Amino acid sequence: MDLGAQEIADLVKSSKVSATQVVEAHLDEISRYDSRVNAFLLVMAENALEQAKRIDVRRSKGEELGPLAGVPIALKDNMAVSGFATTCGSKILEGWKPPYTATAVKRLVAADAVLIGKTNLDEFAMGSSTENSAYFPTKNPIDPTKVPGGSSGGSAASVAARFTPIAIGSDTGGSIRQPASLCGIVGVKPTYGLVSRYGLVAFASSLDQIGPFARNVQDAALALQVLAGHDDRDSTSIPGSHFDNSFTDRVAGLRIGVIQEMTTGISGAVEHTLNDAIAFLRSMGATVEAVSIPSTTYGLSAYYLIAPAEASSNLSRFDGVRYGLRVPGADITQTYEQTRAEGFGAEVKRRMMLGTYALSAGYYDALYGRAQKVRTLILDDFAKAYGAYDVLISPTSPTVAFGLGDKTDPLAMYMADVCTIPSNLAGHPAMSVPFGCDEAGLPIGIQVLAPAMGEQIMFSVAQSLQNGAAKPAVPVWRRD
Ligand code: GLN
């Protein structure tokens, strides 16, 4: 279905189309074509049709519907929906059905969106290709021999394949923006604390944020407006926060910095697209200059100490007693050991070992402590840059989508997030907008970064970039 979220909501609100018709059409697309993409771990067909029916009944009674009336939404499978399996792409959670629903999901449902299903991800959101899922890899809808990016690859693929106009992901080091870039769609990581994390299975709590994917900037903003807001159940939620979905596409007079450290080591096609974006923004009246943010070069190293350290603590709760899988042993210790040995995949184990090491006595100051200092340096450097520039831009990913199975070295995979990680360490918002393609038609996104709570200006620049973006060289979704 090519209809966007706003179009669907308008049609449903004005009774031109019923929510049931919308949902049936999207379920039909998924049942026909998802075997070629593998975006979904679970399709919630019955529940979606019931939800749609309730919306239609309310509409027929003349009730006013919410801003996402009848809009089908796919959720990354690390967000809890009461009574539905939540796997996090891991065998260790197999069979676990949460008894509660994530705040972000509740807000979507309250806005009359319809939950269509749960999407595939790298196990516990650790990865950049969705190949670390314990179930199956997801394919890039634009070229099924390529990865969709990750870790929210199923959500990105759902939107790119037109299974849903909106999908929700989580971004700890780039997991919304990088797959958005690789799939040719829009992906937003909001300011830390703007969207509640209650009901998001924690990976690295000080970095995790929930955010939307959409096929255009306006739909992403519509979704973010619904998602954003204070929640007493998340102690890091910003009091009084909201996002007002009104922004222009005006960049005239804006000062835009291009992060120098993120222009080295990128592919030729990505560099070309970045230069096109710079030229376009200048033609629209913005001042665009190079800016150095030196500490961002340490971002990757700091992230791979902080994120695993937090993960090693967060994932200790999966013990074979409280959730999902249990591999019984002779005593409780053996049950823990066997469950965790069988339930977790290789990348998750690697991260837990790295994290435990970084936090252990004797190494804490040299590793974890130092990484936290880098985090402070990054915040200071960004603050300096935002003294001179309204927003910053960079490539989202150093390359276009890579081949399934191509990256076997963990470090090579980690490099995929070199441009996205600094925003998580700073807690700042950033988003990816498709702007060009390489010669093979693989999409390339531009990242727009803004200071904390700077979503409004970030969206204006993204909207402008969308206006100037090259049309894809190949059809976005080839089914035959
Ligand atoms: N690719 C990064 C990692 O593996 C980021 C993941 C994420 O944002 N969830 O940690």
Side-chain angles (χ1 to χ4, degrees):
M1 292 276 295
D2 280 347
L3 289 176
Q6 187 66 64
E7 289 167 296
I8 291 174
D10 290 344
L11 288 169
V12 171
K13 282 187 202 172
S14 59
S15 296
K16 295 207 175 76
V17 174
S18 71
T20 304
Q21 284 173 308
V22 171
V23 169
E24 278 172 350
H26 285 83
L27 286 172
D28 188 52
E29 291 279 299
I30 295 168
S31 69
R32 277 187 208 214
Y33 300 113
D34 192 38
S35 57
R36 303 189 193 175
V37 180
N38 288 336
F40 285 89
L41 283 165
L42 175 74
V43 180
M44 298 157 63
E46 211 177 303
N47 187 70
L49 288 167
E50 272 168 29
Q51 239 190 304
K53 204 164 143 195
R54 282 199 295 275
I55 292 169
D56 289 333
V57 168
R58 286 186 23 237
R59 174 75 195 99
S60 69
K61 287 187 190 153
E63 269 184 49
E64 201 180 318
L65 298 179
L68 292 174
V71 175
I73 301 224
L75 291 175
K76 184 177 185 178
D77 199 23
N78 59 355
M79 280 168 247
V81 184
S82 181
F84 288 91
T86 297
T87 68
C88 291
S90 181
K91 290 283 180 202
I92 208 156
L93 277 177
E94 219 168 23
W96 179 62
K97 290 186 180 163
Y100 64 101
T101 298
T103 299
V105 177
K106 279 195 180 157
R107 295 184 73 100
L108 293 166
V109 172
D112 288 323
V114 177
L115 309 179
I116 282 278
K118 310 288 293 287
T119 57
N120 198 21
L121 66 157
D122 287 301
E123 187 174 2
F124 285 103
M126 297 176 190
S128 307
S129 68
T130 316
E131 293 166 298
N132 291 339
S133 166
Y135 297 91
F136 41 75
T138 296
K139 297 171 196 166
N140 191 318
I142 293 158
D143 176 348
T145 68
K146 308 282 190 227
V147 303
S151 63
S152 318
S155 285
S158 174
V159 171
R162 283 149 167 74
F163 295 148
T164 55
I166 289 176
I168 310 298
S170 65
D171 189 313
T172 304
S175 280
I176 295 174
R177 291 160 286 160
Q178 184 257 12
S181 179
L182 271 46
C183 290
I185 59 173
V186 176
V188 185
K189 184 204 91 75
T191 300
Y192 183 79
L194 184 61
V195 179
S196 169
R197 291 181 295 110
Y198 179 77
L200 167 71
V201 180
F203 162 10
S205 311
S206 77
L207 303 162
D208 300 340
Q209 261 302 278
I210 289 175
F213 289 97
R215 287 192 297 273
N216 60 65
V217 171
Q218 301 93 318
D219 277 0
L222 178 67
L224 183 58
Q225 179 169 317
V226 169
L227 291 169
H230 178 70
D231 179 15
D232 283 337
R233 288 178 155 160
D234 173 358
S235 61
T236 61
S237 164
I238 302 169
S241 60
H242 71 285
F243 168 65
D244 177 10
N245 174 21
S246 59
F247 48 90
T248 66
D249 59 1
R250 271 177 55 83
V251 294
L254 284 188
R255 301 158 307 165
I256 301 178
V258 184
I259 305 174
Q260 278 321 279
E261 288 74 11
M262 297 183 189
T263 58
T264 51
I266 60 177
S267 78
V270 171
E271 189 178 356
H272 191 84
T273 298
L274 179 66
N275 289 335
D276 285 350
I278 293 169
F280 172 74
L281 291 168
R282 283 191 180 133
S283 77
M284 290 287 110
T287 306
V288 189
E289 291 167 358
V291 56
S292 172
I293 309 197
S295 56
T296 57
T297 50
Y298 305 118
L300 197 75
S301 314
Y303 173 88
Y304 277 98
L305 291 165
I306 294 168
E310 294 187 22
S312 69
S313 164
N314 277 326
L315 271 57
S316 65
R317 62 174 63 106
F318 303 111
D319 54 9
V321 177
R322 288 172 284 184
Y323 308 88
L325 182 76
R326 176 178 307 163
V327 186
D331 55 24
I332 186 70
T333 308
Q334 205 184 26
T335 300
Y336 290 158
E337 284 172 2
Q338 290 183 178
T339 303
R340 289 170 68 85
E342 267 188 46
F344 289 128
E347 183 61 28
V348 175
K349 287 179 183 161
R350 181 179 297 121
R351 303 275 180 116
M352 288 189 297
M353 285 190 272
L354 266 174
T356 306
Y357 185 77
L359 289 174
S360 56
Y363 295 101
Y364 184 96
D365 289 339
L367 299 173
Y368 183 76
R370 252 175 144 182
Q372 291 291 19
K373 286 181 185 152
V374 168
R375 204 167 176 178
T376 306
L377 284 180
I378 288 177
L379 268 168
D380 289 351
D381 276 3
F382 269 125
K384 252 182 244 154
Y386 287 124
Y389 298 96
D390 300 296
V391 295
L392 303 172
I393 62 169
S394 77
T396 306
S397 160
T399 65
V400 295
F402 41 92
L404 283 152
D406 274 4
K407 285 198 201 239
T408 46
D409 170 26
L411 262 183
M413 193 68 90
Y414 298 171
M415 291 302 290
D417 288 306
V418 69
C419 302
T420 47
I421 278 171
S423 301
N424 299 79
L425 290 169
H428 292 171
M431 65 190 284
S432 182
V433 200
F435 197 78
C437 291
D438 74 355
E439 322 76 63
L442 292 170
I444 296 169
I446 296 295
Q447 181 174 228
V448 184
L449 306 87
M453 300 305 284
E455 271 82 1
Q456 219 76 32
I457 194 161
M458 176 178 84
F459 269 97
S460 294
V461 174
Q463 178 73 48
S464 173
L465 284 171
Q466 177 173 283
N467 298 342
K471 296 284 166 279
V474 291
V476 178
W477 163 233
R478 287 176 295 183
R479 292 191 171 117
D480 305 307

